[in-house]
Amino acid sequence: MMPEKERLRDEKWKKWGPYVSNRQWGTVREDYSHNGNAWGYTNYDDAMSRAYRWSEDGIAGISDSKQRLCFSFAFWNKKDKMIKERFFGLSNYQGNHGEDVKEIYYYLDNTPSHSYMKMVYKYPINAFPYDELIHENGRRSKTQAEFEITDTGIFNRNQYFDIFIEYAKINHDDLLIRVTACNRSDKKAPLVILPTIWYRNNWKWGYGTYRPKLKSSVNGIIDIEHDSIGLKKLYSRNPDTEALFCDNESNPEVISNGNSDAKYFKDGINNFLVKGQQDSINPEKSGTKASFFIDTEIEAGESKTFDFRLSPHEMENAFFDFDEIFSLRKQEADDFYGELQAEIETEEEKSIQRLAFAGLLWNKQFYHYAVSKWLKGDPKHEAPRNFDHYVRNTEWEHMQNKDVISMPDKWEYPWFATWDLAFHCVPFALIDAGFAKHQLKLLTKEWYLHPNGQLPAYEWDFSDVNPPVHAWSTFRVFKIDEKINGKADIPFLESVFQKLLLNFTWWVNRKDKRGNNVFGGGFLGLDNIGAFDRNMQFKNGAHLEQADGTSWMAMFALNMMRIAMELALYNPVYEDMAIKFFEHYLYIAEAMENLGEGIHGLWNEEDGFFYDVLQLNNGESISLKLRSIVGLIPMFAVEIIEHDILEKLPNFRARMQWVLKNRPELANLVSHWEVEGKGGKHLISILRKTRLKRVLQRMSDPNEFLSEYGIRSMSKFYEKHPFHFSTDDQEFVVKYLPAESDSSMFGGNSNWRGPIWFPINFLIVESLQRYHYYYGESMQIEYPTGSGEMRNLNFVAEDLSQRLKAIFMKDENGNRPFNGGNDLLNHNEFFRDYMMFHEYFNGDTGQGIGASHQCGWTATVAKLIQPRWK
């Protein structure tokens, strides 16, 4: 077995990893204000002086899995107002389109065990344009583009350092570290490099007094003294390297509640270097935070490399095998991905996939949040919360997070999001199915799952409602894992299924307002997709029936049915559960037709599309005829059952046949079950063939949903013909917007009114593949609409995959669409082969928008690139 796969069999190899956030300031966890203003309570500048309560941040940071000890890099070009210890970005209030990191860095490589990791940070040689970025973005309106760091000219004439940071493990607790700084400019430039090690502050909050220590008695070595950390030494390859020491304590002159008995504070090294404060570092060379001090100059076009080692061993020459091990780990990474990518045809696709995996792996993070402690405060850390006002997460006191979790983006979203994570796990399963399964199980644990059965959404509001895709992801990961490892992990599948029974019940009890199997839930992850806030309370009891909420639940029911059928192959008890979910699915399908009221269904026969419906108190209803991906989501509720599985489940088969025979009104709503597809397959789908064709006709229309880069989230028709709706003396207008929002509606930095989102596109592709699996060549549509070309659904799925991959691939002019026409990013030799995997993409141009390193659900492109198993 190749070494990287062997390492994945030993969890100790994941004890250390890239678990340090890129941003801890401005998070809910660090918000101890009286009014819940998380973005205002902490900010970028005071992060330098504030000891965090819950976790840490840094550049290319690593830590142990409980984040007791951290290591990262800081830099100073001798022109900036502060050393660069963390990536700079705008808060939600500073950016004209919300929060946004204003740095350029790329994740270049990573293995699942983190035996080898590499990234690059582009650090300007001249003074970082902090004020310009803040002021110009603050001046711009919502209708203008964001002002990016490349717009400042700071990278003109290559006036920056490429700083490559690499890690290679000798063993699970013995780490080699290399930083290479390349001066890309035409002049010599100074650079201070600060490899920094520190303890997360666990001693100042009032629960314990143990304070570990870092110290140095000789240059080139920092001693690590901690009662539960195996690492004992941080070595520098240059034995003359001096170390600077302070403490990870808040500076009370900067932080108002930063009372401390310490003498040297978190900002001590910065103040010593930048401000010349000789008394801000400890002359006795001890503390809880320390940096090697490397003061160098780099000639134009030249590079310098510096090596370090974190080790449990005391040795005379800590670097005797450094180069050999480093080269070996890089080769092992190449071997691991080489085997995975053996059937991928182009080098460009291999590069895109490997970079997507790198970002996915780098975005793991230690996440710590004990909600009950956060709400009431600590013995030595008050929480002046105004419970008469609004306080977040008061219903989640049982939440006790202290785990390594896959994050959407460790700067933009340094907190887990449940439906995001479900998509992360699918590409994760290709490289580390064990981690994917662990993540899916983790969020169903009793210290995450609410006693009422709700899955937590994200830290800004755990009670928000995300689409129920956990069951879908669980079964996809189960099947990928079975294919790769040749063994079905039934305990995993059964464990998650049991908890999702509670979650399904919560949905039924909480989100079905009238008990008619029509489900709503507010945004459902789609933010501003509708004409108005979908949590809006109407006068006289009117309420919104959501086509996507009900479709998600139909998909959830089918996913649970399919899992129960799989489990029933091993334990017949689960046949009854499969029957239960099959029948529930039928009732949801019926409700979508008539809302249980016999008035208007979510399906509009005239338009051939699904719409949200506003139910009035007098029994009347209004179809909100706004064409968005809300109307495409019913496609996701599809399952193909092979005949041989039915033969193995006689009780399920008998009950299914009874229901379909004795309740023909239900059978006619879904599909012609008795008409077997090619190879003896049975189709369960909300969309009968005629309806499916009509929905796909809309989806495949370039004047509506079909973009050169995937499926838009809203019909382009509304670009010239905005949608209008009036109610309760209010006028609502929706216009197609291919990129950013033009208002502050629902946050302003998230937009579902036109852009391309990978999670929805990924589900569309998968659904089309399933329909083709059943229909084969008997189902063809005009694709694109108006072209006169008739194509089967597998062709459509493959074409959509190509459009999505095209976002990252060079076009005939050498431009990668996600770069948005930026010449520097597209054509400069030091930028053009690097990738960012954005949160979402411009519906017309493919330009990346939102979080720039959101590899999580956008990393599903790695699954699209991977050849399908026959």
Side-chain angles (χ1 to χ4, degrees), residues 287-303:
T288 53
K289 176 182 177 182
S291 297
F292 280 132
F293 175 37
I294 300 168
D295 188 0
T296 188
E297 286 187 317
I298 304 177
E299 297 289 342
E302 298 296 324
S303 300

Side-chain angles (χ1 to χ4, degrees), residues 539-605:
K539 297 178 182 178
N540 303 319
H543 66 278
L544 191 66
E545 305 282 23
Q546 293 176 221
D548 57 331
T550 307
S551 302
W552 286 122
M553 278 303 289
M555 174 184 171
F556 192 4
L558 279 184
N559 296 150
M560 293 293 279
M561 180 198 76
R562 185 63 186 87
I563 293 173
M565 292 177 71
E566 192 77 16
L567 294 173
L569 297 174
Y570 299 84
N571 185 345
V573 169
Y574 284 100
E575 281 194 80
D576 288 343
M577 297 305 299
I579 292 167
K580 175 253 192 294
F581 283 109
F582 171 69
E583 293 188 359
H584 208 127
Y585 165 79
L586 290 177
Y587 296 138
I588 294 172
E590 180 186 35
M592 288 192 72
E593 183 72 12
N594 57 32
L595 299 185
E597 305 274 349
I599 307 298
H600 286 298
L602 300 175
W603 172 259
N604 186 286
E605 182 62 30

Side-chain angles (χ1 to χ4, degrees), residues 213-217 221-225 232-234:
K213 182 183 290 186
L214 301 167
K215 65 179 184 179
S216 178
S217 55
I221 302 175
I222 295 174
D223 297 321
I224 301 166
E225 297 181 358
K232 300 301 179 186
K233 303 284 184 179
L234 174 61

Side-chain angles (χ1 to χ4, degrees), residues 779-796:
M779 173 74 155
Q780 298 200 358
I781 65 169
E782 185 183 30
Y783 182 83
T785 301
S787 68
E789 296 287 339
M790 301 302 294
R791 303 292 189 181
N792 65 42
L793 299 190
N794 188 63
F795 178 94
V796 178

Side-chain angles (χ1 to χ4, degrees), residues 760-807:
I760 300 297
N761 272 264
F762 188 78
L763 288 176
I764 289 172
V765 169
E766 282 211 338
S767 297
L768 290 169
Q769 289 169 345
R770 288 188 179 188
Y771 283 115
H772 177 74
Y773 187 58
Y774 174 77
Y775 284 115
E777 294 299 322
S778 70
M779 173 74 155
Q780 298 200 358
I781 65 169
E782 185 183 30
Y783 182 83
T785 301
S787 68
E789 296 287 339
M790 301 302 294
R791 303 292 189 181
N792 65 42
L793 299 190
N794 188 63
F795 178 94
V796 178
E798 290 300 316
D799 184 73
L800 288 179
S801 295
Q802 292 299 324
R803 291 171 188 250
L804 292 164
K805 288 186 286 186
I807 290 172

